[in-house]
Amino acid sequence: MDFEAGIEAGGLMDIEAVQKTLNRSRASVYRYANTDPNTLNPPYDPTRLNPEMRLNKDDVLMFHPNEVARFARDVLKIKNVTIEVRETPKTEIQELLEEILAELRSIHQLLKTRS
């Protein structure tokens, strides 16, 4: 069985992405997850699927792709583990923010040279 995760660049995986990647039910992914109702961030457990640190108990469980791959390989014994990172096309908002950032940098540089 091959394991391949399609992850957006720099992104984490939510429960649905883990479920699709591992080909397991949502309930089983929750059973695999290293969570505890009494502890916000339980210590690392190599036999469980460890989510990223959370600041609040209401935060959505998010998983690093490397952790999902480790869990698939070491615990579920899936032989071929591959993580594929996909670049997402830039949205208009991202392009606008990059233009604003470039403008701010040029203003900052100009102010530095004047002082």
Side-chain angles (χ1 to χ4, degrees), residues 32-47:
Y32 297 146
N34 183 17
T35 59
D36 181 349
N38 301 318
T39 306
L40 181 60
N41 294 304
Y44 179 82
D45 182 349
T47 64

Side-chain angles (χ1 to χ4, degrees), residues 20-39:
K20 289 176 186 173
T21 300
L22 297 178
N23 197 25
R24 300 291 196 273
S25 71
R26 185 181 186 92
S28 67
V29 172
Y30 277 112
R31 279 194 305 271
Y32 297 146
N34 183 17
T35 59
D36 181 349
N38 301 318
T39 306

Side-chain angles (χ1 to χ4, degrees), residues 23-110:
N23 197 25
R24 300 291 196 273
S25 71
R26 185 181 186 92
S28 67
V29 172
Y30 277 112
R31 279 194 305 271
Y32 297 146
N34 183 17
T35 59
D36 181 349
N38 301 318
T39 306
L40 181 60
N41 294 304
Y44 179 82
D45 182 349
T47 64
R48 309 285 307 271
L49 180 59
N50 297 283
E52 290 295 299
M53 298 292 249
R54 297 182 295 160
L55 300 176
N56 185 322
K57 285 193 183 253
D58 295 330
D59 289 347
V60 176
L61 288 177
M62 299 298 285
F63 302 89
H64 193 280
N66 290 340
E67 172 61 14
V68 176
R70 180 210 59 86
F71 180 78
R73 183 182 54 250
D74 298 347
V75 178
L76 297 180
K77 304 297 185 204
I78 297 174
K79 300 273 187 234
N80 298 319
V81 178
T82 304
I83 295 181
E84 177 184 323
V85 177
R86 297 183 194 139
E87 287 290 331
T88 56
K90 291 184 181 179
T91 65
E92 289 182 38
I93 293 173
Q94 286 173 314
E95 290 175 0
L96 179 62
L97 288 173
E98 286 178 1
E99 290 173 16
I100 292 170
L101 180 60
E103 186 68 24
L104 287 172
R105 284 181 175 153
S106 66
I107 292 169
H108 177 73
Q109 189 64 33
L110 181 64

